[in-house]
């Protein structure tokens, strides 16, 4: 980052402040860091909560600090190449190692840079936060709203920005840098206050505080001077144990509130139903009753109309039982038919029995009339035989 990256360019589309026409929520929805690609013209998305409360003579500070940084870089390089400085220290003789000599020069330079910044009023800086691509939208949205009208709004933090996405999607582990700006990085008490809000209310992992002067000078972890790239490390403000405790408290609250949205939705729905029930129903809602003859007019238009409705409804009521009676008539006819069929079957059976009986009698009569084979009578033969 350079000095220009700590300043919002006039007319920049991807920036929001309290004078913007677009509401903050709409802005955050429209411009998500995971969706906006940096084509070289939109590297950041900005949200400003309030204006900085001090003036900075940035150019003077940068010029003086640049001269110091150049000198320090040369001294560090000389220490590295000085063979008279041992690699290891000697406590007996008091000789310092290369590392100790280098760190002493760097510590003195850090203090001088602080003096230059304070002298010129160039003391602004930012908390550094890194967020993965799958979480950056949520983290950024919560931070932005907190800065404008949430917990961060009660601190001296006044501005925030987030890096957009690279054009190439070949970086699955890309980390979005988020900066929360503060007006004075050397105000330890107020810097710590912001830190605690970020930990307790947002559960964010922090990467230290960096001065805008350091950004303008191009000081990073790989700078030849070897100067620390941050003005404050986390452990220099609060202990690691306290940091962990604050973050754990945030995640504990988050876990316990997982069902809150559903509960609130249910309560809201219940209250809406109760409110609707308490309201007097319009008379037109009587149409909900199944009445094919109901009038579209409110309260009717006269006795004649009401009388006509009553007569029609009465006809409907009278028509219903008739249908049942018809159904019973059909049921009765079925019973009569069944009885008739039984009677005919019995008559047919009796007729068949009678016919069989007559046939039997007829067969007997025929048998009596049939010529019989006469047997010779022995008595008669004896009578006609000659004596």
């Amino acid at each position: 980052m350079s000095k220009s990256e700590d300043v919002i360019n006039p007319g920049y589309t991807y920036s929001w402040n309290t004078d913007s026409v677009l509401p903050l929520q709409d802005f955050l929805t429209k411009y998500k860091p995971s969706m906006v690609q940096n084509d070289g013209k939109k590297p950041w998305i900005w949200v400003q909560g309030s204006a900085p409360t001090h003036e900075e003579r940035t150019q003077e500070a940068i010029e003086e600090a640049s001269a110091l940084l150049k000198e320090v870089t040369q001294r560090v390089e000389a220490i590295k190449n000085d063979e008279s400085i041992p690699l290891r220290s000697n406590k007996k003789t008091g000789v310092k190692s290369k590392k100790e000599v280098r760190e002493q020069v760097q510590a003195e330079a850090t203090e001088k840079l602080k003096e230059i910044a304070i002298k010129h009023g160039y003391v602004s800086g930012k908390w550094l936060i890194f967020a993965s691509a799958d979480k950056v939208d949520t983290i950024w949205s919560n931070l932005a709203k907190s800065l404008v009208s949430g917990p961060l709004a009660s601190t001296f933090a006044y501005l925030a920005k987030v890096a957009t996405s690279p054009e190439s999607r070949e970086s699955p582990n890309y980390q979005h840098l988020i900066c929360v700006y503060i007006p004075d990085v050397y105000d330890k008490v107020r810097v710590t206050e912001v830190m605690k809000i970020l930990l307790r209310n947002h559960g964010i992992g922090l990467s230290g505080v960096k001065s805008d002067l350091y950004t303008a000078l191009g000081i990073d972890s790989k700078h030849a001077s070897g100067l620390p790239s941050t003005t404050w490390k986390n452990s220099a403000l609060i202990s690691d144990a306290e940091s962990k405790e604050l973050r754990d408290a945030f995640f504990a609250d988050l876990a316990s509130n997982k069902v809150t949205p559903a509960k609130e939705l249910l309560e809201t729905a219940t209250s809406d139903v109760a409110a609707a029930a308490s309201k007097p129903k319009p008379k037109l809602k009587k149409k909900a009753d199944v009445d094919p003859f109901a009038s579209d007019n409110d309260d009717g238009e006269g006795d004649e109309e009401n009388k006509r409705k009553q007569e029609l409804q009465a006809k409907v009521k009278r028509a219903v039982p008739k249908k049942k009676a018809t159904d019973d008539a059909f049921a009765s006819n079925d019973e009569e038919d069944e009885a008739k069929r039984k009677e005919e079957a019995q008559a047919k059976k009796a007729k068949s029995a009678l016919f069989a009986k007559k046939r039997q009698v007829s067969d007997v009569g025929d048998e009596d009339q049939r010529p019989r084979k006469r047997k010779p009578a022995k008595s008669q033969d004896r009578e006609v035989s000659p004596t």
Side-chain angles (χ1 to χ4, degrees):
M1 283 189 294
S2 62
K3 169 58 184 172
S4 62
E5 293 184 339
D6 287 323
V7 178
I8 306 174
N9 295 324
Y12 186 64
T13 302
Y14 302 91
S15 64
W16 185 94
N17 58 50
T18 53
D19 295 327
S20 298
V21 176
L22 194 66
L24 177 59
Q25 183 58 55
D26 294 346
F27 174 83
L28 295 173
T29 302
K30 185 175 182 179
Y31 302 119
K32 295 181 179 181
S34 67
M35 302 301 293
V36 178
Q37 290 188 343
N38 179 20
D39 57 0
K41 297 181 180 179
K42 44 180 179 291
W44 304 100
I45 300 173
W46 298 81
V47 168
Q48 183 172 345
S50 60
T53 57
H54 65 282
E55 296 182 0
E56 298 175 339
R57 298 189 302 277
T58 59
Q59 191 58 38
E60 294 89 337
I62 292 173
E63 290 177 358
E64 186 176 349
S66 295
L68 173 64
L69 183 61
K70 183 178 180 180
E71 178 186 346
V72 171
T73 302
Q74 292 174 348
R75 290 181 63 185
V76 169
E77 186 67 20
I79 294 170
K80 178 181 178 181
N81 298 325
D82 190 346
E83 295 181 358
S84 64
I85 304 175
L87 292 175
R88 298 178 180 274
S89 62
N90 191 325
K91 293 183 179 180
K92 293 182 179 180
T93 60
V95 177
K96 295 181 179 180
S97 66
K98 285 183 179 291
K99 179 182 178 182
E100 290 173 335
V101 174
R102 184 178 68 249
E103 289 179 346
Q104 183 177 351
V105 171
Q106 292 167 342
E108 292 173 356
T110 300
E111 191 63 29
K112 288 181 181 179
L113 287 173
K114 177 182 177 180
E115 293 173 1
I116 293 172
I118 294 174
K119 181 175 66 174
H120 296 286
Y122 193 15
V123 292
S124 60
K126 55 268 181 184
W127 271 103
L128 303 178
I129 302 161
F130 289 93
S132 60
D134 60 330
K135 297 179 181 178
V136 65
D137 291 343
T138 300
I139 294 174
W140 166 244
S141 179
N142 291 337
L143 276 176
K145 289 183 282 189
S146 177
L147 180 69
V148 174
S149 58
L152 279 177
S154 63
T155 69
F156 74 159
Y158 67 97
L159 181 67
K161 72 178 181 181
V162 60
T164 55
S165 299
E167 283 191 302
S168 175
R169 293 295 184 182
E170 297 177 358
S171 303
N173 298 323
Y174 177 75
Q175 295 284 310
H176 293 257
L177 173 61
I178 300 176
C179 299
V180 177
Y181 284 83
I182 49 181
D184 188 352
V185 295
Y186 298 109
D187 188 339
K188 184 177 181 180
V189 174
R190 302 182 76 181
V191 171
T192 304
E193 180 185 6
V194 175
M195 179 185 187
K196 291 182 177 180
I197 292 293
L198 292 173
L199 294 173
R200 179 62 182 84
N201 295 82
H202 298 279
I204 295 174
L206 303 173
S207 298
V209 178
K210 187 170 187 175
S211 166
D212 287 346
L213 178 59
Y214 281 26
T215 300
L217 295 173
I219 298 176
D220 58 19
S221 60
K222 298 179 181 180
H223 194 273
S225 66
L227 291 177
S229 60
T230 55
T231 311
W232 293 106
K233 292 183 178 180
N234 297 350
S235 57
L237 297 172
I238 62 176
S239 66
D240 293 339
E242 185 177 357
S243 294
K244 183 179 183 302
E245 182 180 350
L246 290 171
R247 291 192 71 194
D248 289 347
F250 166 79
F251 288 111
D253 288 348
L254 188 67
S256 64
N257 290 333
K258 282 183 178 180
V259 296
T260 299
K263 182 179 180 182
E264 290 178 352
L265 182 62
L266 178 61
E267 292 177 351
T268 302
T270 303
S271 62
D272 290 344
V273 171
S278 63
K279 292 181 181 180
K281 293 184 179 180
K283 294 181 179 180
L284 287 176
K285 289 188 177 180
K286 291 182 179 180
K287 291 182 179 181
D289 296 335
V290 180
D291 185 1
F293 303 103
S295 172
D296 291 336
N297 298 326
D298 295 341
D299 300 332
E301 295 183 354
D303 295 339
E304 183 176 352
E305 178 67 17
N306 292 334
K307 183 177 181 181
R308 186 179 68 83
K309 286 173 57 179
Q310 292 175 359
E311 291 176 353
L312 291 173
Q313 291 174 352
K315 289 181 180 180
V316 173
K317 292 180 179 179
R318 288 195 297 271
V320 173
K322 288 181 179 180
K323 183 177 180 181
K324 293 183 178 179
T326 305
D327 293 341
D328 292 340
F330 284 125
S332 177
N333 289 338
D334 291 341
E335 292 176 358
E336 291 177 359
D337 292 343
E338 182 66 20
K340 187 175 180 180
R341 284 194 294 270
K342 290 181 178 181
E343 183 178 351
E344 290 176 352
Q346 291 176 355
K348 187 176 181 179
K349 185 177 180 181
K351 186 176 180 180
S352 298
L354 180 62
F355 178 77
K357 187 175 181 181
K358 287 182 178 181
R359 185 176 179 179
Q360 183 179 4
V361 172
S362 175
D363 291 342
V364 172
D366 293 342
E367 185 178 353
D368 293 341
Q369 294 175 3
R370 196 177 297 131
R372 297 180 179 179
K373 187 176 182 179
R374 296 182 63 182
K375 295 180 180 180
K378 292 180 179 183
S379 57
Q380 292 178 359
D381 291 340
R382 282 194 299 267
E383 290 176 0
V384 296
S385 64
T387 50

